[in-house]
Amino acid sequence: MIAAASILCPIDFSESSRSALRHAAAIASRFSARLTLLAVHDPLLAEAAELQLGPEQLTTETIKELETFYRHSVDPRPEGVDVRLECAVGKPAPEVLRVAREHACDLIVMASGGATGFRKLFFGSTTERVLRETTVPVLVTYGTEAARPAAAELGRQVRRILVPVDLTDASEHQVLAARSVAEALHVPLLLLHVVEPVRMMLAAQPRHPKVDAERRYRAERQLEAAVAKLPAALKAETLVAFGEPAEEIAKVASDRDAGLIVMGLHSSPMMGPRMGSVTYRVLCLAHRLVLALPPQPVPSTRGAQDGAAREPARTS
């Protein structure tokens, strides 16, 4: 759901991936982006097929199946979209990430569950793995709806964008990304902050009645400051809620009819992008489109510092 030059859509030929493909095609048409469809074969099955059919036949047949799947899923075909079909062998998530990296993709569109994720009650294992390791935004679609979103109707489908922010430094990048989508689709923004309950260490520890009021006041001021940085023409609202974040986010998305939730992924210095428990639960509960944003890389200052250290001191 962003102005992307290159979109990757993994396909496992399930109805869930058909829905993801329809969204990906609509976005590609709306932003004149290149669309790559990727099918990934299990290595053991690929080896067996190659022994039976020959080394090139599996790829040829898969490309034909991708073409048929695209033709039956996206009708009429969107104009101005460069569609590319690709086949890979390996574990699905690593291959998706590899192709996204090698093709310099700006967005990955994939279903929350599919043929490879049916063993998990709520969430597909491939999508989960991609979200935990991606370095590019991922739009997660839900369900197997038969509707075929058109490029001109994306705004009508999204209706409102919900942006749950934790008011850390990462929130600014999240709001800016949501802004670009809102401006492109001409839909309003709703910035939400959920104040979690204070858990006392001791049951007998007294609760200060002014604590919640103060936390709400601070959150409201920070949200207002974030909205003040947005263009006046962009309709943006703020809301502070109390409770468990994932449950409140899903509830607000339903109550305020938000078709898209823009969330941030966490970052670990040693392990890179991580999908936190809140994002995971929102994907399980909300039944909305979710745009997951990886953390912004922090520019290294070591080179500049080293250069400054090597530069000789100047004297007047």
Side-chain angles (χ1 to χ4, degrees):
M1 305 297 297
I2 58 177
S6 179
I7 299 173
L8 174 63
C9 184
I11 300 295
D12 62 9
F13 302 101
S14 67
E15 289 304 307
S16 294
S17 68
R18 189 186 303 276
S19 174
L21 171 56
R22 289 167 175 165
H23 283 90
I27 297 167
S29 177
R30 176 66 178 79
F31 298 109
S32 300
R34 182 177 71 244
L35 175 60
T36 299
L37 310 187
L38 172 67
V40 182
H41 288 291
D42 180 91
L44 292 178
L45 295 178
E47 183 178 356
E50 288 181 0
L51 290 174
Q52 182 178 4
L53 302 175
E56 302 298 331
Q57 192 63 25
L58 177 62
T59 299
T60 301
E61 292 299 322
T62 301
I63 296 300
K64 289 181 180 179
E65 289 185 25
L66 282 172
E67 168 64 28
T68 301
F69 191 78
Y70 177 75
R71 186 173 63 253
H72 290 170
S73 302
V74 183
D75 184 25
R77 295 191 181 191
E79 297 181 0
V81 178
D82 177 16
V83 180
R84 304 185 181 185
L85 310 177
E86 187 161 332
C87 174
V89 176
K91 297 296 183 182
E95 288 302 308
V96 170
L97 294 167
R98 177 188 64 79
V99 172
R101 182 173 59 254
E102 292 181 356
H103 288 220
C105 292
D106 303 284
L107 178 68
I108 301 173
V109 180
M110 59 193 309
S112 59
T116 59
F118 68 94
R119 293 183 180 86
K120 304 198 75 172
L121 182 58
F122 293 112
F123 200 53
S125 59
T126 298
T127 306
E128 178 182 352
R129 173 80 181 275
V130 169
L131 284 171
R132 291 188 184 280
E133 301 183 21
T134 185
T135 57
V136 300
V138 179
L139 178 68
V140 182
T141 66
Y142 67 96
T144 58
E145 70 276 5
R148 304 188 178 195
E153 298 178 352
L154 282 174
R156 187 183 306 172
Q157 180 190 12
V158 168
R159 300 179 298 280
R160 176 178 282 104
I161 299 174
L162 177 61
V163 192
V165 292
D166 58 11
L167 300 178
T168 62
D169 292 341
S171 298
E172 183 175 0
H173 169 58
Q174 188 180 348
V175 173
L176 289 177
R179 166 193 167 179
S180 68
V181 182
E183 289 178 330
L185 301 182
H186 307 291
V187 296
L189 282 179
L190 175 57
L191 273 61
L192 168 69
H193 178 70
V194 180
V195 178
E196 297 185 64
V198 176
R199 295 173 174 84
M200 301 299 182
M201 296 296 294
L202 301 175
Q205 187 172 352
R207 183 179 180 86
H208 298 284
K210 294 185 179 180
V211 170
D212 287 343
E214 177 64 20
R215 296 170 73 201
R216 173 188 285 275
Y217 174 80
R218 292 183 180 181
E220 288 174 347
R221 298 292 80 76
Q222 288 180 272
L223 289 175
E224 289 173 2
V227 169
K229 297 179 181 179
L230 299 174
L234 179 62
K235 185 178 179 182
E237 304 173 84
T238 65
L239 178 65
V240 176
F242 284 86
E244 296 298 329
E247 284 76 1
E248 290 301 317
I249 292 169
K251 181 177 183 298
V252 171
S254 176
D255 292 346
R256 300 299 297 271
D257 196 27
L260 172 66
I261 303 173
V262 177
M263 300 196 67
L265 298 171
H266 296 289
S267 177
S268 166
M270 297 188 64
M271 304 184 71
R274 302 284 97 188
M275 181 176 65
S277 59
V278 174
T279 304
Y280 181 92
R281 285 187 54 77
V282 168
L283 285 161
C284 296
L285 297 173
H287 304 295
R288 297 289 194 276
L289 297 173
V290 174
L291 178 61
L293 304 173
Q296 286 286 88
V298 178
S300 175
T301 59
R302 176 175 296 180
Q305 293 172 347
D306 291 344
R310 288 192 298 268
E311 184 178 355
R314 297 180 179 179
T315 59
S316 57

